Amino acid sequence: MNLLETPIEYLKGVGPQRGDLLRKELGIHKYADLLNLFPNRYIDRTRYYKINELQNSNSEVQIVGKIINIKTVEQGKGRSRLVATFIDDTGQMELVWFQGQKWIRESIKINVPYVIFGKVTQFGATYNMAHPEMELLEEHKTSLRSAMQPVYPSTEKLANKGISNKVINKMMQQLFVETQVLFSENLPNYLLDELKLIPKNAALFNIHFPKSQDLLAKAQFRLKFEELFFIQLQLITKNLIRKHKIKGMPFEKVGENFNNFYKNHLPFDLTNAQKRVLKEIRNDLGSNAQMNRLLQGDVGSGKTIVALMCMLLAKDNGFQSCLMAPTEILANQHFNGLSELLNPETSGLNISIKILTGSTKTAERKIIHEALENGTLDIIIGTHALLEDKVQFQNLGLAIIDEQHRFGVEQRSKLWGKASIPPHVLVMTATPIPRTLAMSLYGDLDISVIDELPPGRKPIQTVHRYDSNRLKVWKFLKDEIAKGRQVYIVYPLIQESEKMDYKDLMDGYESISRDFPLPQYSISIVYGKMKPADKDEEMRRFSEGKTNIMVATTVIEVGVNVPNASVMVIESAERFGLSQLHQLRGRVGRGAEQSYCILMTSHKLSNDSKIRMETMVRTNDGFEISEVDLKLRGPGDIMGKQQSGVLNLQIADLVKDKDILQLARHHAIKLLKEDAPMEKPEHAKLRAAFIELSKKKIIWNYIS
């Protein structure tokens, strides 16, 4: 048996109780898990300070010296502290203990050289160190401890049960003693040479016991590369296997519906980006493999028209299509938009399209179910309702998923199950995903990007204003409404929480009603807890121009399309994340007029909030915004709840290590091009490690 597979309680100094804690708190089940518990940071103990060099800087230092006396000092109310005088050849200081005094007093040796370590504080002219770490100089010289001291991840429970950083450090030393640092190399020699990577043994030793900053950096680089390299191997292999194994339904012809619509009924010329993306999709659909493509494009870049053209291709080849959206508002918007484009009178096309959501009446449902099964219904738009077992297709050929990060993996696979051969899949998102994340999370999907806006669209002008400028902002809104435009005002919260003085929606609504009185102005209001019918009615009044102002919570982040709305005011904008601000801004700027986004905040802004406001004002580019967002928030948050566990990386960091990620992907692609099954002799170790990894249900087996 591989020594690293040994259960953790068998490690000397661990035992059943500690083993149980390590399992529950840090997920450490066996030796290998402990080995891969990498330090969060390091304390540099390469330097020994003299007492006369100390500063009141609250930093941790180590000093060599000896204790010349020790005494108990009463503090009143039955409390006391233990104080020792510690000297070296340049001066003296005090060591102080408030707890464990009896044990410390008994174990301390007077006039014997010690190495002490801890934070120094200054009282008057005297420096002192509370509860120092202490080690006899003799022992300090022989211990396996490195000069750069690792600080390991921990939890409150571990600390309370006495499993301190020092204890984990000891366990790690014991692990290296028992395994004798014999860890098998898993990267091919030519890669180690080409990238000047240090061997696996040296890397693991120096990540836990680095002898210098330089060796630590080399160890980190080697281990980060390896982790990302294996993820990329797995994702790219999956993509290759899918293309070979999962036979798609080839859409062999570009037929009457597609050609007729493209030549005679397109409402506007396609942008070059749309044409490029359509070409990529047509190549996929025409090959014998199942398409699995991610289509990214900013709000308003024209993803819907691309989706429609794909559905027309499906129809030309005798297949049905479905489009699944995360909310009813969005599903309705897709349905209305597509129905208009497919109107038989204006489009000359005879294509049947229906919508299925939670609100669809039972009688209507029955008709839809039958039409899907007997093949008379060509296109179905819907929400999660499409996933119900009752929904069966005659021949589903194309599944389009909008805002995919809102759907879990199981939900998507349920959709595939509704076709005899897996349908082609197009995943659309208006949330631009930074390239580094896309390479990791969607490394097994092909990616298309629409990176230009339709002609005639003017970039939205964004400004940041403080609450004290409100009167000027209101005057600007009145001027815009006088020109016949409409305005959104969005709030972050509905009920004011006691702790927060954010203007709650209702307060906002009342003060806006006072400042924009009837009959000159009329206001719609929309929020999460409203009945769907009331919500739709308010939305309808706004989109038909019967109201000038829409006061809402973030319900409208995804959805509403009102070309006449030209101003988006976001209240308490500091409460929103960057991607949300960008999505909200995308609700305006859909017509030919100049549109504006006004970010209202209080004067008190955190550093991150300032960066968010500056970024929004500076750029309209969703990809640039997503890169800043990734830096501020980290990968887990960006992907939302369902994906947050996706990249439980042990050492690499997608934000800081994107160069290493690109390097790893480049080498993974190169290797798989030359030797996809990894059968060459020089890839034997790599293949063995890859098979081991693939057996484990590591989270990236479930991505996309």
Side-chain angles (χ1 to χ4, degrees):
M1 170 177 153
N2 178 352
L3 191 58
L4 289 175
E5 295 294 310
T6 313
I8 196 66
E9 51 267 33
Y10 292 108
L11 184 70
K12 189 176 167 196
V14 177
Q17 271 181 319
R18 279 182 168 177
D20 202 39
L21 269 171
L22 289 171
R23 260 195 300 279
K24 286 183 184 146
E25 295 295 300
L26 295 174
I28 293 173
H29 296 265
K30 48 187 187 224
Y31 282 19
D33 299 327
L34 181 62
L35 182 66
N36 290 322
L37 178 73
F38 297 121
N40 288 335
R41 61 191 179 90
Y42 297 83
I43 295 164
D44 188 350
R45 293 184 71 162
T46 47
R47 187 154 177 215
Y48 297 90
Y49 284 78
K50 294 289 188 188
I51 292 174
N52 68 352
E53 294 176 316
L54 296 180
Q55 304 273 331
N56 192 15
S57 68
N58 204 21
S59 59
E60 293 168 313
V61 295
Q62 66 183 349
I63 308 162
V64 181
K66 47 192 169 190
I67 291 172
I68 52 171
N69 69 41
I70 189 159
K71 60 180 189 235
T72 301
V73 178
E74 295 302 330
Q75 289 176 271
K77 291 191 180 167
R79 293 203 313 253
S80 64
R81 65 180 189 270
L82 192 61
V83 179
T85 307
F86 184 81
I87 63 160
D88 69 2
D89 53 10
T90 69
Q92 69 175 40
M93 62 183 291
E94 290 184 343
L95 309 182
V96 186
W97 293 269
F98 300 96
Q99 276 119 17
Q101 296 178 26
K102 182 173 180 289
W103 179 81
I104 288 159
R105 195 164 197 148
E106 287 166 6
S107 57
I108 271 179
K109 299 184 165 124
I110 303 283
N111 285 320
V112 175
Y114 273 101
V115 176
I116 63 163
F117 177 79
K119 276 192 180 164
V120 174
T121 42
Q122 189 176 13
F123 283 99
T126 314
Y127 283 100
N128 69 29
M129 190 184 280
H131 290 267
E133 277 183 39
M134 298 182 64
E135 196 174 20
L136 290 166
L137 184 59
E138 280 308 299
E139 287 174 12
H140 180 79
K141 284 177 180 163
T142 58
S143 74
L144 175 65
R145 175 184 323 194
S146 66
M148 305 282 306
Q149 272 214 346
V151 179
Y152 290 98
S154 186
T155 66
E156 208 175 324
K157 203 164 184 185
L158 287 177
N160 291 342
K161 297 277 186 189
I163 302 183
S164 62
N165 195 57
K166 203 170 173 182
V167 170
I168 293 182
N169 215 313
K170 274 224 161 74
M171 289 176 186
M172 205 61 86
Q173 292 186 27
Q174 184 58 32
L175 179 72
F176 275 78
V177 169
E178 288 189 28
T179 53
Q180 296 181 338
V181 203
L182 295 174
F183 307 117
S184 51
E185 183 57 70
N186 50 16
L187 294 179
N189 291 338
Y190 68 82
L191 204 53
L192 298 179
D193 295 343
E194 189 183 335
L195 297 173
K196 301 190 174 55
L197 298 174
I198 63 173
K200 177 94 178 209
N201 286 334
L204 283 166
F205 186 81
N206 280 291
I207 203 85
H208 292 293
F209 308 106
K211 287 282 172 245
S212 67
Q213 289 278 6
D214 180 50
L215 276 167
L216 173 61
K218 286 186 167 136
Q220 286 173 326
F221 184 82
R222 152 73 210 234
L223 294 170
K224 286 175 176 184
F225 176 84
E226 181 182 316
E227 180 168 40
L228 295 168
F229 181 66
F230 274 105
I231 291 180
Q232 291 303 324
L233 279 180
Q234 219 164 356
L235 289 169
I236 298 158
T237 304
K238 220 167 122 185
N239 196 349
L240 292 171
I241 289 173
R242 201 190 54 245
K243 285 184 173 158
H244 288 300
K245 259 200 191 158
I246 305 186
K247 290 287 168 258
M249 297 161 266
F251 289 7
E252 277 154 355
K253 61 175 191 232
V254 177
E256 180 55 29
N257 290 299
F258 184 94
N259 285 328
N260 180 5
F261 184 77
Y262 188 74
K263 289 187 184 122
N264 309 319
H265 301 288
L266 259 182
F268 44 79
D269 288 342
L270 294 184
T271 61
N272 288 331
Q274 285 172 312
K275 287 179 185 163
R276 183 187 70 239
V277 165
L278 256 177
K279 197 171 171 186
E280 290 168 352
I281 291 171
R282 275 177 53 182
N283 287 343
D284 283 358
L285 296 174
S287 77
N288 279 325
Q290 179 210 19
M291 170 169 84
N292 217 2
R293 192 167 276 283
L294 173 70
L295 174 58
Q296 297 194 67
D298 243 332
V299 178
S301 60
K303 295 184 296 295
T304 313
I305 202 96
V306 170
L308 172 63
M309 316 264 310
C310 298
M311 292 176 180
L312 294 177
L313 276 174
K315 167 72 175 166
D316 280 339
N317 287 277
F319 291 103
Q320 295 166 301
S321 306
C322 72
L323 192 163
M324 186 160 83
T327 63
E328 285 201 19
I329 290 177
L330 196 50
N332 277 312
Q333 188 180 310
H334 279 307
F335 178 68
N336 296 335
L338 292 172
S339 302
E340 203 175 305
L341 289 166
L342 291 172
N343 180 346
E345 288 165 25
T346 53
S347 73
L349 299 174
N350 181 21
I351 287 183
S352 55
I353 176 170
K354 293 267 187 221
I355 182 166
L356 181 65
T357 68
S359 323
T360 310
K361 302 276 184 289
T362 315
E364 175 68 1
R365 266 170 200 266
K366 224 174 157 175
I367 297 166
I368 292 174
H369 289 162
E370 280 170 20
L372 278 176
E373 280 187 61
N374 64 30
T376 53
L377 182 53
D378 302 312
I379 295 175
I380 181 85
I381 312 289
T383 53
H384 293 76
L386 293 177
L387 300 172
E388 289 168 8
D389 294 337
K390 289 197 193 88
V391 179
Q392 292 300 329
F393 294 80
Q394 188 186 42
N395 55 351
L396 176 64
L398 174 66
I400 300 177
I401 295 175
D402 198 19
E403 289 307 331
Q404 88 92 37
H405 56 282
R406 300 186 176 214
F407 292 104
V409 179
E410 297 80 20
Q411 292 170 311
R412 280 172 283 168
S413 54
K414 212 164 174 181
L415 203 49
W416 309 173
K418 295 182 183 288
S420 48
I421 300 176
H424 293 294
V425 180
L426 184 66
V427 167
M428 302 198 297
T429 179
T431 309
I433 300 158
R435 278 205 58 216
T436 42
L437 263 188
M439 280 187 331
S440 326
L441 289 169
Y442 303 110
D444 61 333
L445 285 173
D446 300 307
I447 297 178
S448 291
V449 179
I450 303 182
D451 49 11
E452 64 182 299
L453 286 176
R457 287 272 174 99
K458 294 181 180 146
I460 301 163
Q461 284 186 16
T462 305
V463 293
H464 172 208
R465 296 286 179 262
Y466 294 108
D467 291 337
S468 49
N469 304 109
R470 188 169 299 279
L471 285 174
K472 280 187 179 161
V473 172
W474 272 190
K475 177 172 184 322
F476 176 72
L477 298 188
K478 287 176 177 169
D479 293 346
E480 283 294 297
I481 292 169
K483 292 181 198 163
R485 315 263 190 274
Q486 289 164 284
V487 174
Y488 292 106
I489 302 178
V490 177
Y491 286 84
L493 295 171
I494 295 192
Q495 256 72 45
E496 189 168 315
S497 93
E498 294 81 28
K499 293 183 204 133
M500 298 187 189
D501 56 355
Y502 287 109
K503 295 162 215 53
D504 131 38
L505 184 75
M506 294 310 165
D507 271 5
Y509 178 64
E510 280 168 21
S511 74
I512 291 164
S513 305
R514 282 195 300 275
D515 294 335
F516 295 86
L518 284 161
Q520 198 179 349
Y521 302 99
S522 66
I523 302 172
S524 286
I525 182 166
V526 173
Y527 53 92
K529 293 202 171 107
M530 279 170 94
K531 293 194 177 97
D534 296 347
K535 212 182 281 183
D536 291 345
E537 173 60 17
E538 289 285 289
M539 293 271 196
R540 192 180 57 71
R541 287 176 60 220
F542 186 65
S543 56
E544 287 172 5
K546 290 180 179 153
T547 56
N548 329 94
I549 300 174
M550 161 73 80
V551 176
T553 54
T554 42
V555 177
I556 61 153
E557 173 190 348
V558 176
V560 214
N561 185 12
V562 182
N564 188 45
S566 67
V567 187
M568 165 65 71
V569 179
I570 304 175
E571 293 282 358
S572 303
E574 69 269 32
R575 299 269 301 141
F576 295 89
L578 262 177
S579 61
Q580 226 182 358
L581 290 171
H582 182 61
Q583 284 269 4
L584 285 168
R585 171 166 66 185
R587 297 290 123 227
V588 294
R590 298 185 155 230
E593 305 307 329
Q594 177 62 58
S595 289
Y596 305 90
C597 174
I598 303 171
L599 308 169
M600 301 293 295
T601 71
S602 63
H603 274 279
K604 274 190 220 152
L605 289 183
S606 70
N607 206 27
D608 280 7
S609 298
K610 281 184 189 142
I611 294 173
R612 289 202 293 270
M613 299 308 126
E614 282 159 12
T615 307
M616 287 294 294
V617 171
R618 187 184 77 245
T619 179
N620 280 307
D621 178 345
F623 288 94
E624 193 181 329
I625 288 169
S626 72
E627 291 286 351
V628 177
D629 201 18
L630 181 62
K631 282 194 182 107
L632 290 177
R633 291 201 296 165
D637 290 346
I638 285 197
M639 295 322 296
K641 289 282 181 286
Q642 275 142 340
Q643 309 271 17
S644 59
V646 167
L647 288 164
N648 270 332
L649 295 174
Q650 288 173 315
I651 188 164
D653 174 317
L654 287 182
V655 184
K656 299 185 186 115
D657 301 323
K658 63 178 182 201
D659 296 347
I660 305 180
L661 173 64
Q662 281 170 342
L663 188 71
R665 187 168 174 85
H666 165 76
H667 282 283
I669 290 171
K670 194 169 146 192
L671 185 144
L672 291 171
K673 263 193 184 145
E674 289 163 18
D675 181 20
M678 300 183 224
E679 282 169 353
K680 290 184 176 172
E682 64 265 34
H683 293 151
K685 294 180 284 196
L686 184 74
R687 182 184 160 89
F690 183 76
I691 290 168
E692 262 316 292
L693 263 181
S694 308
K695 279 186 203 157
K696 294 177 188 162
K697 290 203 166 175
I698 292 184
I699 193 90
W700 61 76
N701 286 341
Y702 302 115
I703 295 172
S704 55

Short mmCIF file of all heavy atoms in Angstrom, two decimals, residues 89 147 157 163 206 228 281 307 381 388 395 401 404 413 433 443 469 511 516 519 622:
data_model
loop_
_atom_site.label_atom_id
_atom_site.label_comp_id
_atom_site.label_asym_id
_atom_site.label_seq_id
_atom_site.Cartn_x
_atom_site.Cartn_y
_atom_site.Cartn_z
N ASP A 89 23.61 40.79 24.74
CA ASP A 89 24.79 41.64 25.01
C ASP A 89 24.55 43.12 24.67
O ASP A 89 25.46 43.92 24.74
CB ASP A 89 26.03 41.09 24.27
CG ASP A 89 25.74 40.88 22.79
OD1 ASP A 89 24.67 41.34 22.32
OD2 ASP A 89 26.56 40.24 22.10
N ALA A 147 14.03 28.35 8.37
CA ALA A 147 14.12 29.75 8.75
C ALA A 147 12.85 30.51 8.36
O ALA A 147 12.48 31.49 8.96
CB ALA A 147 15.32 30.38 8.07
N LYS A 157 -12.02 25.89 16.22
CA LYS A 157 -12.18 24.65 16.97
C LYS A 157 -10.82 23.96 17.19
O LYS A 157 -10.53 23.47 18.28
CB LYS A 157 -13.12 23.71 16.22
CG LYS A 157 -13.78 22.70 17.12
CD LYS A 157 -14.96 22.08 16.43
CE LYS A 157 -15.69 21.13 17.36
NZ LYS A 157 -16.77 20.44 16.68
N ILE A 163 -4.75 22.24 18.97
CA ILE A 163 -3.99 21.93 17.74
C ILE A 163 -3.55 23.27 17.14
O ILE A 163 -4.20 23.83 16.27
CB ILE A 163 -4.83 21.09 16.75
CG1 ILE A 163 -5.26 19.78 17.44
CG2 ILE A 163 -4.02 20.77 15.49
CD1 ILE A 163 -6.02 18.82 16.57
N ASN A 206 10.41 22.05 0.35
CA ASN A 206 10.61 23.50 0.49
C ASN A 206 9.33 24.30 0.63
O ASN A 206 9.37 25.47 0.98
CB ASN A 206 11.45 24.03 -0.67
CG ASN A 206 12.93 23.75 -0.43
OD1 ASN A 206 13.53 24.33 0.46
ND2 ASN A 206 13.49 22.82 -1.19
N LEU A 228 -2.36 23.20 -11.89
CA LEU A 228 -3.12 23.75 -13.01
C LEU A 228 -2.94 22.90 -14.27
O LEU A 228 -3.87 22.75 -15.07
CB LEU A 228 -2.67 25.20 -13.27
CG LEU A 228 -3.02 26.16 -12.11
CD1 LEU A 228 -2.31 27.50 -12.29
CD2 LEU A 228 -4.53 26.37 -11.99
N ILE A 281 -20.34 28.45 -34.89
CA ILE A 281 -21.44 27.57 -34.48
C ILE A 281 -21.84 26.65 -35.64
O ILE A 281 -22.05 25.45 -35.45
CB ILE A 281 -22.64 28.41 -34.00
CG1 ILE A 281 -22.28 29.10 -32.68
CG2 ILE A 281 -23.88 27.54 -33.81
CD1 ILE A 281 -23.29 30.13 -32.20
N ALA A 307 -28.91 33.22 -31.48
CA ALA A 307 -29.64 32.04 -31.00
C ALA A 307 -30.76 31.68 -31.97
O ALA A 307 -30.97 30.50 -32.30
CB ALA A 307 -30.22 32.33 -29.61
N ILE A 381 -39.73 28.09 -25.55
CA ILE A 381 -38.96 28.95 -24.64
C ILE A 381 -39.49 28.64 -23.25
O ILE A 381 -40.70 28.47 -23.07
CB ILE A 381 -39.25 30.45 -24.93
CG1 ILE A 381 -39.15 30.75 -26.43
CG2 ILE A 381 -38.34 31.35 -24.11
CD1 ILE A 381 -37.79 30.73 -27.01
N GLU A 388 -39.36 19.47 -16.25
CA GLU A 388 -40.31 18.50 -15.67
C GLU A 388 -40.38 17.25 -16.53
O GLU A 388 -40.26 17.31 -17.76
CB GLU A 388 -41.70 19.14 -15.55
CG GLU A 388 -41.75 20.21 -14.47
CD GLU A 388 -43.02 21.05 -14.54
OE1 GLU A 388 -43.92 20.70 -15.33
OE2 GLU A 388 -43.08 22.06 -13.82
N ASN A 395 -38.02 15.28 -31.26
CA ASN A 395 -36.60 15.20 -31.63
C ASN A 395 -35.89 16.52 -31.31
O ASN A 395 -35.71 17.37 -32.16
CB ASN A 395 -36.43 14.84 -33.11
CG ASN A 395 -37.19 15.81 -33.99
OD1 ASN A 395 -37.96 16.62 -33.51
ND2 ASN A 395 -36.97 15.74 -35.28
N ILE A 401 -29.10 27.62 -23.43
CA ILE A 401 -29.30 27.98 -22.02
C ILE A 401 -28.80 29.39 -21.80
O ILE A 401 -27.65 29.71 -22.13
CB ILE A 401 -28.55 27.00 -21.11
CG1 ILE A 401 -29.18 25.62 -21.27
CG2 ILE A 401 -28.65 27.43 -19.66
CD1 ILE A 401 -28.47 24.56 -20.53
N GLN A 404 -26.18 30.86 -17.91
CA GLN A 404 -26.02 29.48 -17.47
C GLN A 404 -25.59 29.33 -16.01
O GLN A 404 -25.88 28.35 -15.38
CB GLN A 404 -25.04 28.78 -18.39
CG GLN A 404 -23.61 28.93 -17.99
CD GLN A 404 -23.20 27.80 -17.13
OE1 GLN A 404 -23.63 26.69 -17.33
NE2 GLN A 404 -22.41 28.07 -16.12
N SER A 413 -28.14 18.36 -17.16
CA SER A 413 -28.08 17.00 -17.69
C SER A 413 -29.50 16.43 -17.85
O SER A 413 -29.76 15.57 -18.66
CB SER A 413 -27.23 16.10 -16.80
OG SER A 413 -27.69 16.17 -15.49
N ILE A 433 -17.01 36.55 -18.52
CA ILE A 433 -16.21 35.74 -17.61
C ILE A 433 -14.74 36.00 -17.96
O ILE A 433 -14.35 35.86 -19.11
CB ILE A 433 -16.55 34.25 -17.78
CG1 ILE A 433 -18.03 34.03 -17.46
CG2 ILE A 433 -15.68 33.38 -16.91
CD1 ILE A 433 -18.60 32.79 -18.06
N GLY A 443 -13.09 25.00 -19.40
CA GLY A 443 -12.00 24.54 -20.25
C GLY A 443 -12.44 23.44 -21.19
O GLY A 443 -11.78 23.16 -22.18
N ASN A 469 -25.45 65.56 -4.07
CA ASN A 469 -25.74 66.16 -5.39
C ASN A 469 -27.14 65.83 -5.89
O ASN A 469 -27.45 66.06 -7.06
CB ASN A 469 -24.77 65.62 -6.47
CG ASN A 469 -23.32 65.82 -6.13
OD1 ASN A 469 -22.62 64.86 -5.84
ND2 ASN A 469 -22.87 67.06 -6.15
N SER A 511 -40.43 59.48 -1.55
CA SER A 511 -39.79 60.77 -1.80
C SER A 511 -39.75 61.08 -3.30
O SER A 511 -39.91 62.22 -3.72
CB SER A 511 -38.41 60.84 -1.16
OG SER A 511 -37.52 60.07 -1.90
N PHE A 516 -41.55 64.04 -8.00
CA PHE A 516 -42.07 63.89 -9.38
C PHE A 516 -43.58 63.66 -9.30
O PHE A 516 -44.05 62.54 -9.49
CB PHE A 516 -41.37 62.70 -10.07
CG PHE A 516 -39.90 62.89 -10.28
CD1 PHE A 516 -38.99 62.57 -9.28
CD2 PHE A 516 -39.41 63.39 -11.48
CE1 PHE A 516 -37.61 62.75 -9.47
CE2 PHE A 516 -38.04 63.56 -11.69
CZ PHE A 516 -37.14 63.26 -10.68
N PRO A 519 -50.04 65.12 -12.02
CA PRO A 519 -50.20 64.25 -13.19
C PRO A 519 -49.03 64.38 -14.17
O PRO A 519 -48.98 63.70 -15.17
CB PRO A 519 -51.48 64.81 -13.82
CG PRO A 519 -51.42 66.28 -13.47
CD PRO A 519 -50.78 66.37 -12.12
N GLY A 622 -17.23 44.91 -20.66
CA GLY A 622 -17.58 43.90 -19.65
C GLY A 622 -16.42 43.00 -19.27
O GLY A 622 -16.31 42.56 -18.13
#
